[in-house]
Amino acid sequence: MTTSGASIQTQFRTIDGLSVRFAESEPRDDHALLLSPWPESLYAFEPMWARLAEHTHLVAVDLPGFGHSERRDALLSPRPTGEFIVRIADAFGLDNPHVVGPDIGTSAGLFAAAAYPGRLRSLVVGSGGAAVPLQLGGILMDWVVEPDLEKFRSLDPREIVAGALSGLERYTLPDATREDYLSAYESDRFVESMRFVRTYPTELPALRDLLQDIKTPVQIIAGGLDWAVPPANAEFLHERLPHSKLDIIDAGHFTWEDAADEYATLVTSWWHGGYSRLRACS
């Protein structure tokens, strides 16, 4: 099955027994693995896809249980997803790739870098929970700390996702992209995907203890107006990671769409020397 947008064509590949949706750009010497944010899909990268693809071979994926990739319950937390990120890189033959992991990719990507020193060339993260104690806002905090997950099963998942997408302030979603996001979390898929962030109270303290030993260069991009994941999370990481750069931009949560041009500029500058200069100067 293949579907296409203006610049992205999606396919499916079986990785470790799971059907994983991905999109791939033209081959180039360098590689980047892009991890879908939640509750969206790999189409979140479409506003900057063509620009990023001019510089680097891109492989974008819907992580297991997110977007349109198959779920495995054991992977619905940051640490095992970090392990799976490395399996994805292996499956595509990505030797020492850059990783771009906003939102849920933040904690998962950092766990991957901690567990596999040197395997990833660099990370671009941000807009994902990281701070200990938790620094989350609005409904996201409710989703994390609500004792009973069952109360959400009676709600319309399309309405929940549509409500989350109302946080997009500047970028107008194409109809096909909006439908891709909404259909990705139908039935029990949204409620089950919530399990990932609901592990934050135990997973983020474990990640905190690993941050000082991560040698991978990390570019952190956060929205200064992000109500769901306040910039305190980005600052928390920057203070603890030995090789990190922090940019807080004038946007809300969905920086990769609402501020796609600025986001792409930061990423391409990072790829073209920013990460290596940071490591050399640290």
Side-chain angles (χ1 to χ4, degrees), residues 219-254:
Q219 163 75 69
I220 308 162
I221 303 173
L225 306 176
D226 190 339
W227 59 266
V229 186
N233 291 273
E235 293 160 354
F236 181 91
L237 292 176
H238 185 50
E239 290 167 1
R240 290 163 177 80
L241 288 164
H243 309 287
S244 67
K245 177 177 180 288
L246 172 61
D247 286 279
I248 296 179
I249 60 181
D250 183 21
H253 178 70
F254 298 94

Side-chain angles (χ1 to χ4, degrees), residues 44-248:
F45 298 108
E46 190 158 40
M48 54 185 172
W49 181 262
R51 185 170 170 189
L52 296 183
E54 292 176 358
H55 300 266
T56 305
H57 167 231
L58 307 176
V59 176
V61 298
D62 287 342
L63 290 167
F66 298 95
H68 289 270
S69 287
E70 187 179 359
R71 181 175 77 235
R72 177 178 293 158
D73 290 350
L75 293 177
L76 288 174
S77 61
R79 190 191 295 265
T81 297
E83 294 278 345
F84 199 83
I85 289 169
V86 176
R87 292 181 192 146
I88 294 171
D90 291 342
F92 284 95
L94 305 182
D95 181 27
N96 200 222
H98 298 289
V99 171
V100 179
D103 194 72
I104 58 169
T106 295
S107 52
L110 289 167
F111 268 119
Y116 296 90
R119 179 66 179 85
L120 309 179
R121 186 175 306 187
S122 79
L123 285 172
V124 178
V125 301
S127 303
V132 180
L134 293 176
Q135 296 285 330
L136 304 173
I139 195 170
L140 178 58
M141 179 65 94
D142 294 339
W143 291 346
V144 171
V145 303
E146 167 59 45
D148 185 12
L149 187 64
E150 296 305 307
K151 67 178 291 185
F152 297 102
R153 295 190 185 277
S154 63
L155 304 178
D156 183 344
R158 291 176 66 94
E159 290 186 4
I160 298 175
V161 175
L165 296 177
S166 67
L168 281 160
E169 299 169 348
R170 304 170 195 167
Y171 179 63
T172 300
L173 283 174
D175 290 343
T177 300
R178 178 178 292 275
E179 179 57 29
D180 188 81
Y181 294 170
L182 296 177
S183 63
Y185 297 97
E186 290 180 333
S187 185
D188 69 343
R189 283 183 60 85
F190 182 79
V191 170
E192 293 302 320
S193 71
M194 291 172 64
R195 294 184 186 279
F196 186 99
V197 297
R198 289 169 63 81
T199 68
Y200 281 176
T202 55
E203 290 274 270
L204 294 186
L207 178 60
R208 172 199 57 198
D209 296 341
L210 298 172
L211 294 176
Q212 63 183 358
D213 296 320
I214 294 177
K215 306 305 181 188
T216 305
V218 182
Q219 163 75 69
I220 308 162
I221 303 173
L225 306 176
D226 190 339
W227 59 266
V229 186
N233 291 273
E235 293 160 354
F236 181 91
L237 292 176
H238 185 50
E239 290 167 1
R240 290 163 177 80
L241 288 164
H243 309 287
S244 67
K245 177 177 180 288
L246 172 61
D247 286 279
I248 296 179

